[in-house]
């Protein structure tokens, strides 16, 4: 039986990203995946700048960016095409060092993630391996799984197990977690097509058609791929509505069968759920295993990547013995306390937006819920802080931007997976930093605009780039620096792009 630091059940985007992040920190990792290959059809179609920043850390951002499509924003229109709500997305490089939003083809991402995994000596990937038993002990977890290629039963041990195994998570069953239900459970038909040739009149914006009797969404994805998501009515049969003739009938307002090839038509039930417990001892959950959201915010996969970005460095500190005992337990407990409120806010916002889309008085409801100064409705992307955990003070738990150094280098490329102090140059004089902690000042970067956005003179950033806190005096900065945890990068300097 082989021993690992962390075993990950599930090899989707969240599980694969977690494996990459742990490998960059020198953590011995096992990935167990039931399927033999990644799913070949589209699923998630959107990620944001925070996710691309994580992809930067694991070395795939420059490979993914050319595979994405521009995303100028979403427009909510009525049955006549009249604009009810505008949700623009900024273009160009934003505070995170990347564009605000990206449209993508999930099989492209999974291919890039898996191809890049071949360079990770610390990661063992086993596909066609079906985990069926999880047994927690005092100092390890034992997994039993079937190698489905030959029917052999095998075992493995790990210090911790992370269930990235989807909505029907086996690991969640062993944790015995219930689910918080926010009341959204609807069937939607998801249709992906490949155009025979470009059809510019469909546009680059995502369009939410606010037609109460049958709301629908149009999404432009890379190349000639396009997606529609269409409400399935209560009396409609899920099997009948995916027949090609019925699908083309529903798409007839936009295009006909002579203009595109149907790539996929499937009925999904969109839920709004959050697991009550994200951790039990040495078992943890991430991604769809601990939260499921309606699609209206485009945050399903993003939430899973945020989960593993919060979790990886905490697991690395514990697995490498840099924190232990009650401190290790308390550190791992902050994963749920920090991530759960953030995920919940995205889901509750998506539920509210779905309710506005489905109402018979959509225009009035949107204007009342999302007013702008001119009386119209206008929406901005939310960026909720994480919940209480390691931080200190009012500025704790905010996502911080990625300054550019004077030579144009992105900050995270200079200080990968490290704690960083970002400060006005005057506050850096005489500052004594622990080993491995990066220092970025207003004298060697564009940090001033990032500090201004937070409203402080200095901030301490965690490895996941959320703020430990923000301060305005040398004394307060020294006290905040004293709260920094050990450096986990001493034995591993990963390659970033």
């Amino acid at each position: 039986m082989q021993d690992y630091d962390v075993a990950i059940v599930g090899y989707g985007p969240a599980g694969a990203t977690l494996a990459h992040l742990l490998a960059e920190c020198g953590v011995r990792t096992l990935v167990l995946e039931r399927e033999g290959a990644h799913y070949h059809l589209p699923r998630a179609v959107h990620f944001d700048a925070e996710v691309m920043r994580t992809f930067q850390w694991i070395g795939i951002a420059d490979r993914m960016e050319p595979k994405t499509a521009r995303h100028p924003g979403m427009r909510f229109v009525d049955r006549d095409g009249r604009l009810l709500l505008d949700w623009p997305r900024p273009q160009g490089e934003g505070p995170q060092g990347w564009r605000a939003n990206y449209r993508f083809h999930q099989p492209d991402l999974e291919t890039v993630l898996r191809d890049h995994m071949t360079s990770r000596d610390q990661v063992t990937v086993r596909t066609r391996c079906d985990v069926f038993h999880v047994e927690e002990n005092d100092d390890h977890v034992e997994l039993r799984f079937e190698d489905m290629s030959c029917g052999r039963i095998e075992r493995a041990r790990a210090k911790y197990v992370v269930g990235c195994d989807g909505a029907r998570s086996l690991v969640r069953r062993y944790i015995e977690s219930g689910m918080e239900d926010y009341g959204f459970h609807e069937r939607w038909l998801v249709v992906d097509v490949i155009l025979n040739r470009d059809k510019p009149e469909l546009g680059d914006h995502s369009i939410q058609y606010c037609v109460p009797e049958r709301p629908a969404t149009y999404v432009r994805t890379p190349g000639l791929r396009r997606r529609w998501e269409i409400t399935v009515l209560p009396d409609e049969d899920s099997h009948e509505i995916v027949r090609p003739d019925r699908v083309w009938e529903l798409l007839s307002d936009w295009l006909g069968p002579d203009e595109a090839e149907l790539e996929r038509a499937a009925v999904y039930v969109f839920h709004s759920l959050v697991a009550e417990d994200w951790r039990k001892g040495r078992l943890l959950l991430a991604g769809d295993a601990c939260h499921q959201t309606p699609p209206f915010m485009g945050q399903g996969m993003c939430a899973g990547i945020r989960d593993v970005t919060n979790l990886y460095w905490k697991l690395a500190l514990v697995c490498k013995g840099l924190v232990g005992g009650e401190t290790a337990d308390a550190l791992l407990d902050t994963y749920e306390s920090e991530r759960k409120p953030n995920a919940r806010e995205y889901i509750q916002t998506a539920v509210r937006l779905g309710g506005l889309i489905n109402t018979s008085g959509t225009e009035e409801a949107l204007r009342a819920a999302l007013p702008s100064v001119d009386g119209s409705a206008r929406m901005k992307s939310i960026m909720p802080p994480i919940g209480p955990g390691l931080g200190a003070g009012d500025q704790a738990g905010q996502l911080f931007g990625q300054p550019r150094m004077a030579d144009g280098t992105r900050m995270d490329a200079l200080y990968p997976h490290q704690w960083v102090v970002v400060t006005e140059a005057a506050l850096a004089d005489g500052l004594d930093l622990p080993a491995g902690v990066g220092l970025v000042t207003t004298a060697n970067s564009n940090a001033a605009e990032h500090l201004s956005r937070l409203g402080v003179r200095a901030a301490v950033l965690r490895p996941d780039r959320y703020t430990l806190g923000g301060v305005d005096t040398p004394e307060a900065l020294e006290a905040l620096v004293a709260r920094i945890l050990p450096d986990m990068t001493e034995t591993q300097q990963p390659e970033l792009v």
Side-chain angles (χ1 to χ4, degrees):
M1 185 173 0
Q2 291 186 294
D3 290 277
Y4 299 88
D5 293 319
V6 176
I8 301 168
V9 182
Y11 197 27
T17 301
L18 177 57
H20 278 294
L21 290 166
L22 291 171
E24 299 234 330
C25 300
V27 177
R28 294 171 298 122
T29 304
L30 171 67
V31 181
L32 295 171
E33 166 59 44
R34 188 179 190 280
E35 303 300 328
H38 66 74
Y39 192 59
H40 66 287
L41 294 174
R43 287 183 290 183
V45 294
H46 166 266
F47 63 81
D48 58 26
E50 185 179 356
V51 171
M52 184 60 108
R53 190 175 180 180
T54 299
F55 292 161
Q56 174 196 339
W57 303 346
I58 65 176
I60 68 166
D62 287 345
R63 287 186 62 189
M64 272 307 300
E65 190 169 30
K67 299 177 184 294
T68 64
R70 187 174 71 94
H71 180 37
M74 176 176 278
R75 291 171 175 167
F76 295 70
V77 304
D78 64 14
R79 67 176 71 251
D80 299 318
R82 187 166 56 94
L83 183 65
L84 303 177
L85 167 67
D86 191 19
W87 184 6
R89 307 294 176 90
Q91 303 301 299
E93 182 176 310
Q96 299 303 309
W98 298 92
R99 292 203 320 266
N101 292 273
Y102 298 82
R103 291 295 186 193
F104 78 111
H105 181 54
Q106 184 168 330
D108 288 344
L109 171 61
E110 299 213 40
T111 296
V112 170
L113 284 166
R114 293 184 182 211
D115 286 350
H116 194 48
M117 198 69 75
T118 60
S119 66
R120 304 294 192 189
D121 294 337
Q122 303 93 337
V123 180
T124 300
V125 176
R126 298 285 305 275
T127 58
R128 297 206 65 198
C129 287
D130 186 20
V131 178
F132 63 85
H133 183 71
V134 180
E135 184 177 329
E136 185 181 6
N137 297 280
D138 290 341
D139 60 353
H140 71 275
V141 181
E142 183 176 312
L143 297 163
R144 293 183 215 167
F145 57 94
E146 179 185 358
D147 182 340
M148 297 168 65
S149 67
C150 60
R152 184 172 63 246
I153 304 301
E154 298 188 36
R155 301 185 181 200
R157 277 193 301 248
K159 295 174 183 175
Y160 292 92
V161 171
V162 183
C164 298
D165 48 344
R168 299 178 179 178
S169 169
L170 174 73
V171 178
R172 190 177 68 237
R173 293 176 208 166
Y174 276 93
I175 290 178
E176 297 183 352
S177 172
M179 301 294 279
E180 300 171 2
D181 187 343
Y182 296 99
F184 189 98
H185 305 280
E186 291 185 4
R187 291 183 303 157
W188 284 62
L189 172 67
V190 178
V191 180
D192 290 287
V193 307
I194 303 175
L195 300 176
N196 295 332
R197 61 189 63 82
D198 194 17
K199 192 170 182 178
E201 59 266 35
L202 290 174
D204 293 333
H205 283 79
S206 297
I207 308 292
Q208 180 63 58
Y209 294 91
C210 301
V211 180
E213 58 268 27
R214 196 187 292 275
T217 307
Y218 160 77
V219 181
R220 190 264 162 85
T221 49
L224 294 175
R225 284 190 164 86
R226 303 291 185 269
R227 169 174 289 185
W228 280 265
E229 297 172 353
I230 303 170
T231 298
V232 179
L233 304 181
D235 61 346
E236 290 178 321
D237 183 88
S238 295
H239 299 289
E240 188 274 338
I241 204 169
V242 298
R243 291 192 351 247
D245 59 333
R246 183 70 175 117
V247 172
W248 284 118
E249 179 185 342
L250 292 168
L251 294 181
S252 60
D253 287 343
W254 299 286
L255 79 169
D258 58 330
E259 297 179 287
E261 170 192 348
L262 283 180
E263 186 174 26
R264 178 187 64 154
V267 172
Y268 285 83
V269 181
F270 295 138
H271 295 291
S272 56
L273 301 168
V274 177
E276 294 173 353
D277 302 300
W278 293 32
R279 178 187 174 219
K280 179 182 178 183
R282 295 179 177 273
L283 308 181
L284 302 106
L285 302 173
D288 287 354
C290 54
H291 44 68
Q292 298 158 50
T293 181
F296 308 114
M297 297 290 293
Q299 289 294 319
M301 189 192 80
C302 295
I305 302 299
R306 288 190 182 95
D307 291 344
V308 301
T309 302
N310 182 288
L311 179 60
Y312 86 95
W313 58 276
K314 298 173 181 178
L315 281 173
L317 285 170
V318 174
C319 289
K320 295 174 82 169
L322 296 171
V323 297
E326 292 182 359
T327 302
D329 266 341
L331 177 62
L332 293 178
D333 280 343
T334 66
Y335 167 57
E336 178 180 338
S337 70
E338 292 177 347
R339 279 294 307 135
K340 191 175 185 179
N342 179 277
R344 183 191 289 126
E345 184 161 348
Y346 276 110
I347 292 170
Q348 290 176 327
T349 302
V351 170
R352 289 195 297 271
L353 198 54
L356 294 173
I357 290 165
N358 289 337
T359 185
S360 57
T362 302
E363 182 174 6
E364 294 76 13
L366 288 170
R367 286 182 176 177
L370 303 163
S372 64
V373 293
D374 62 2
S376 63
R378 190 173 179 86
M379 185 169 176
K380 293 182 179 180
S381 298
I382 64 172
M383 192 174 291
I386 55 176
L390 294 175
D394 294 340
Q395 282 77 33
Q398 302 285 340
L399 178 63
F400 200 82
Q402 180 171 198
R404 287 274 189 175
M405 309 306 293
D407 63 359
T409 302
R410 291 183 176 98
M411 180 188 71
D412 296 348
L414 193 61
Y415 300 114
H417 312 296
Q418 294 168 255
W419 295 78
V420 179
V421 174
V422 182
T423 179
E424 290 182 3
L427 266 65
D429 290 342
L431 184 63
D432 185 21
L433 293 179
V437 175
L439 178 64
V440 175
T441 76
T442 52
N444 63 14
S445 72
N446 67 343
E449 62 187 70
H450 295 276
L451 290 168
S452 175
R453 197 174 292 112
L454 188 63
V456 296
R457 297 181 64 197
V460 172
L461 311 185
R462 307 159 11 149
D464 56 13
R465 299 315 180 226
Y466 281 79
T467 53
L468 186 68
V471 296
D472 292 311
T473 67
E475 296 77 16
L477 181 55
E478 288 183 7
L480 190 59
V481 166
R483 298 171 65 100
I484 291 176
L485 295 175
D487 174 36
M488 63 184 176
T489 65
E490 294 177 2
T491 60
Q492 182 76 11
Q493 283 294 336
E495 176 184 353
L496 275 80
V497 296

